[in-house]
Amino acid sequence: MMKLRGIGASKGIAIGKVLIKKQCNITTDKKSIQSIDNEMERLEDAKKQAIEQLKQLQDNATKNIGESEARIFEVHQMILQDEDFMGRAKEIIQNEAVNAEYAVSCTGKEYSSLFKEMEDPYMRERAADIVDISKRLLELLTNQQDLSLSELTEPVIIAAKDLLPSDTVKIDQKKVLGFILEEGGKMSHSSILARTMKIPAIVGVQSVLSKIQDGDEVILDGENGYVMITPNSEVKNEWLKKQKEYKIKLNRFNQLKGTKSITKDGVVVKVNANIGMPEDVDAAIENDAEGIGLFRSEFLYMNSKTMPSEEKQFKAYKTVLEKMKDKMVIIRTLDVGGDKEIAYLQIPKESNPFLGYRAIRICLDKTDLFKTQLRALLRASIYGKLGIMFPMICTLEEVQKAKKILEEVKKSLQNEKIPFSEDIEIGIMIETPAAAMISDILAKEVDFFSIGTNDLTQYTIAVDRMNSQVAYLYNTHHLSVLRLIQKTIENGHKENIWVGICGEAAADPTLTKIFVAMGIDELSVNSGSVLEIRQMIQNINKKESKAKLKI
Ligand code: PEP
Ligand code: MG
């Protein structure tokens, strides 16, 4: 048996035979042509047919997977309609008097390497979309077709170099047990779609295709990112058992939809979801999240080449608020710096970015940028139940300054007769030991605290959360971190404000009992963990746990 490691992209266990999806080899050799007009016409025809196919794909994907996942095919249509991509292919035909296949292949390579070199990981993944579009045009120009994942005869685990979004979306969900891909990251579309379709997947498994053959039996562990090739019967039986247990667990979680996150002795602990982009709200709703406890608004900025306008932000916030209806949506103001870079902000390189110019420090300095975001938030507030949260707070002055700027923005909206809600909760993240230690003072200023255990752990234990060499020290269970959490909850409650946790520790089921015993009011977790944490809460007796709590 061989065991290879990749990146766990979609949870679950798959056991079955491999089918290798080979790349379709379309020849795109350079050929001189007689009539440029003819070649232009061939290209134009291929474009029209491609747009038709994409419309069809979008319709099918909307029905089978969901509107937001299907939107990728609208983007493909837009790229084909945009004069940039097609214009470049036409330019090659015109200038070099060459065949359309060659021109499309060159344009595809040029554009995909342009995307691959981009700093932003989201934009880097868009190279796959360009490859997908070029391949579609080439198939139409040459009348060739690749192995279709919609026509499989038996259930298989697909192994491939990479999967294009259009491959993934066409698959017969009953026949594909899992994906093993050599390329791709957690943010690639194939990973996102695999998660949406609940198909176990691992990506970034280097040179896996040279180590497996069609028909090999494999075990895929989508949670931890392992693939075991040709396991012996003992290993296989062990994993068949784990697979069965996993399915039972999932079923049990699904039955909790519509039930309350309430302890055995009647204490309500809200389980909210964390999101990064407005589209993520669909998964939160699907998993029955009771609200959005953290919308990391910086992803709107990171996924954009330029500063997102007030209008663009307004639309994004409004979408989430409307979809969540009367449920609370807590939007965190811009938290960049540290490990999150934005090129157009031109933040100078620092030797200690996690201790430097980041989050609220930037917003209180670049007040125009901050005010634009606050205007967009206030305008969107009438569409739902909004909470605004300030990150990386260390001092009382920062909270007071942020609130003062918010008041100024409210005044100017009033002067312009632009409506906003009077009922917005204002909170701060407690993610520095400084904030936790003065939480008694800070609690007098706000409506809620949300504890960011990711940063709180790194700052308390002095361990960089990105540095794998010291990762063994990074421990959210460390007594120092737990004591700071407890202190924050106690101080918040003394001032009658609610206290939640939105760092990764909120989704750690081994900590739920401790947090509930401490008196936590809310846990905000990734959408996939909402029901698991709800189940944990339902099995706890808070009074008993509190009596036993020793930290
Ligand atoms: C945290 O620090 O725990 C947190 C939720 O914020 P982020 O991970 O975005 O820094
Ligand atoms: Mg943080």
Side-chain angles (χ1 to χ4, degrees):
M1 181 185 87
M2 194 191 295
K3 188 170 176 181
L4 300 177
R5 180 158 206 175
I7 302 163
S10 177
K11 278 187 194 172
I13 296 164
I15 302 172
K17 292 216 166 94
V18 164
L19 177 73
I20 299 180
K21 186 177 186 300
K22 297 184 187 75
Q23 307 278 94
C24 174
N25 273 332
I26 296 176
T27 47
T28 55
D29 294 347
K30 187 174 184 175
K31 287 184 193 148
S32 301
I33 42 125
Q34 301 299 325
S35 160
I36 288 180
D37 286 351
N38 246 356
E39 222 48 32
M40 293 286 194
E41 210 173 297
R42 285 184 64 226
L43 182 62
E44 201 46 40
D45 273 353
K47 174 185 137 177
K48 279 188 196 137
Q49 289 180 55
I51 291 175
E52 278 314 306
Q53 286 184 351
L54 286 163
K55 275 189 192 145
Q56 192 67 44
L57 265 178
Q58 192 185 351
D59 282 354
N60 291 347
T62 307
K63 274 183 226 132
N64 299 333
I65 315 177
E67 204 179 317
S68 61
E69 282 73 24
R71 209 160 289 140
I72 187 66
F73 300 111
E74 198 178 319
V75 176
H76 286 199
Q77 291 169 60
M78 275 156 52
I79 294 175
L80 280 170
Q81 271 149 351
D82 187 273
E83 264 314 293
D84 252 14
F85 184 85
M86 290 302 282
R88 175 70 188 129
K90 285 179 187 164
E91 192 179 82
I92 295 174
I93 298 177
Q94 182 78 46
N95 294 349
E96 302 182 35
V98 286
N99 52 330
E101 289 85 342
Y102 174 76
V104 167
S105 155
C106 288
T107 311
K109 280 181 196 149
E110 264 174 36
Y111 273 71
S112 65
S113 53
L114 211 79
F115 276 103
K116 270 187 192 152
E117 276 157 23
M118 288 187 181
E119 274 191 21
D120 177 349
Y122 178 84
M123 294 309 284
R124 269 205 305 273
E125 303 286 0
R126 302 291 65 77
D129 294 314
I130 297 292
V131 175
D132 201 352
I133 292 164
S134 318
K135 186 171 158 267
R136 183 174 304 284
L137 285 173
L138 288 173
E139 281 179 0
L140 288 162
L141 283 165
T142 58
N143 256 331
Q144 289 189 51
Q145 283 247 311
D146 210 350
L147 164 76
S148 167
L149 297 182
S150 57
E151 291 153 19
L152 300 167
T153 50
E154 56 172 353
V156 283
I157 294 175
I158 302 289
K161 196 165 167 51
D162 199 2
L163 281 182
L164 300 170
S166 53
D167 290 325
T168 325
V169 86
K170 271 190 289 189
I171 66 159
D172 177 348
Q173 296 186 35
K174 287 190 202 86
K175 300 267 170 55
V176 176
L177 304 172
F179 293 126
I180 307 166
L181 305 183
E182 275 193 351
E183 295 184 351
K186 263 201 165 153
M187 297 268 276
S188 63
H189 263 290
S190 17
S191 300
I192 297 169
L193 287 166
R195 285 196 286 279
T196 313
M197 295 188 282
K198 299 195 170 67
I199 294 177
I202 54 173
V203 298
V205 194
Q206 284 176 14
S207 37
V208 63
L209 294 183
S210 62
K211 293 175 180 136
I212 43 172
Q213 290 175 2
D214 267 337
D216 273 354
E217 185 151 65
V218 297
I219 299 171
L220 187 164
D221 172 5
E223 180 159 12
N224 301 304
Y226 286 107
V227 55
M228 286 145 267
I229 304 167
T230 56
N232 62 30
S233 56
E234 204 181 319
V235 175
K236 189 178 164 186
N237 285 339
E238 184 194 325
W239 280 88
L240 279 169
K241 200 168 146 226
K242 282 191 191 173
Q243 189 185 41
K244 211 165 152 192
E245 284 164 5
Y246 183 77
K247 282 185 184 155
I248 293 171
K249 201 165 92 172
L250 273 191
N251 261 338
R252 224 183 304 127
F253 292 160
N254 276 334
Q255 282 163 13
L256 297 180
K257 285 183 186 171
T259 66
K260 288 213 168 111
S261 303
I262 185 164
T263 65
K264 279 183 180 165
D265 49 341
V267 180
V268 174
V269 180
K270 255 178 122 180
V271 184
N272 286 338
N274 293 349
I275 60 168
M277 289 297 284
E279 301 83 275
D280 300 342
V281 80
D282 297 337
I285 294 168
E286 147 121 35
N287 284 289
D288 202 25
E290 290 153 58
I292 301 297
L294 168 66
F295 178 173
R296 289 181 161 98
S297 70
E298 56 273 13
F299 282 92
L300 284 178
Y301 294 71
M302 286 157 74
N303 286 342
S304 177
K305 276 192 206 150
T306 52
M307 189 80 74
S309 63
E310 179 186 321
E311 204 52 32
K312 189 170 172 188
Q313 292 190 53
F314 162 72
K315 282 190 186 140
Y317 305 147
K318 175 174 176 267
T319 303
V320 176
L321 283 158
E322 279 181 336
K323 285 198 176 175
M324 291 306 290
K325 299 193 174 126
D326 56 347
K327 292 178 176 165
M328 179 74 137
V329 174
I330 296 172
I331 304 183
R332 176 173 77 182
T333 57
L334 182 65
D335 180 8
V336 279
D339 59 324
K340 299 173 201 147
E341 284 180 37
I342 297 185
Y344 57 80
L345 277 184
Q346 293 174 339
I347 298 170
K349 284 256 172 281
E350 299 176 333
S351 45
N352 273 316
F354 274 117
L355 302 182
Y357 192 57
R358 70 171 282 204
I360 197 72
R361 300 171 186 181
I362 296 179
C363 288
L364 294 180
D365 181 38
K366 295 183 187 289
T367 46
D368 283 351
L369 176 155
F370 193 34
K371 283 182 179 173
T372 304
Q373 180 169 37
L374 294 175
R375 271 181 74 94
L377 284 167
L378 288 171
R379 282 175 53 204
S381 65
I382 55 171
Y383 297 94
K385 198 166 167 10
L386 176 68
I388 297 179
M389 175 157 76
F390 303 123
M392 269 296 289
I393 294 296
C394 286
T395 69
L396 172 65
E397 290 70 31
E398 283 168 339
V399 185
Q400 288 172 335
K401 272 190 193 160
K403 281 172 60 185
K404 189 163 169 270
I405 295 173
L406 181 66
E407 283 313 307
E408 283 169 25
V409 177
K410 281 185 181 175
K411 282 245 158 60
S412 72
L413 285 177
Q414 270 161 354
N415 291 340
E416 292 168 59
K417 306 220 171 348
I418 297 175
F420 58 87
S421 166
E422 295 295 335
D423 184 25
I424 302 171
E425 289 197 21
I426 303 299
I428 54 171
M429 291 205 56
I430 302 289
E431 51 185 344
T432 63
M437 292 306 289
I438 59 164
S439 48
D440 53 334
I441 300 166
L442 299 176
K444 297 188 197 324
E445 294 287 328
V446 291
D447 302 312
F448 67 89
F449 285 156
S450 187
I451 304 171
T453 46
N454 308 340
D455 277 318
L456 187 61
T457 305
Q458 85 162 340
Y459 293 130
T460 307
I461 311 179
V463 52
D464 181 344
R465 64 194 258 193
M466 308 295 288
N467 184 340
S468 56
Q469 255 195 310
V470 289
Y472 70 97
L473 278 172
Y474 188 91
N475 175 17
T476 313
H477 295 230
H478 196 290
L479 201 53
S480 58
V481 180
L482 296 178
R483 284 185 179 164
L484 288 172
I485 294 173
Q486 188 175 36
K487 192 172 186 64
T488 303
I489 298 172
E490 279 171 12
N491 284 335
H493 287 176
K494 272 186 207 149
E495 294 298 329
N496 295 317
I497 66 167
W498 66 264
V499 184
I501 298 176
C502 63
E504 291 300 307
D508 178 348
T510 65
L511 283 172
T512 316
K513 200 182 243 183
I514 296 179
F515 294 151
V516 171
M518 286 178 180
I520 204 73
D521 303 293
E522 178 242 21
L523 292 167
S524 192
V525 302
N526 64 75
S527 293
S529 294
V530 167
L531 297 168
E532 181 175 8
I533 296 302
R534 177 174 297 164
Q535 189 198 39
M536 293 303 300
I537 293 167
Q538 290 177 347
N539 285 320
I540 292 170
N541 182 312
K542 182 184 169 186
K543 211 167 159 204
E544 278 174 24
S545 307
K546 193 175 168 191
K548 286 187 204 146
L549 183 71
K550 263 198 243 126
I551 64 159

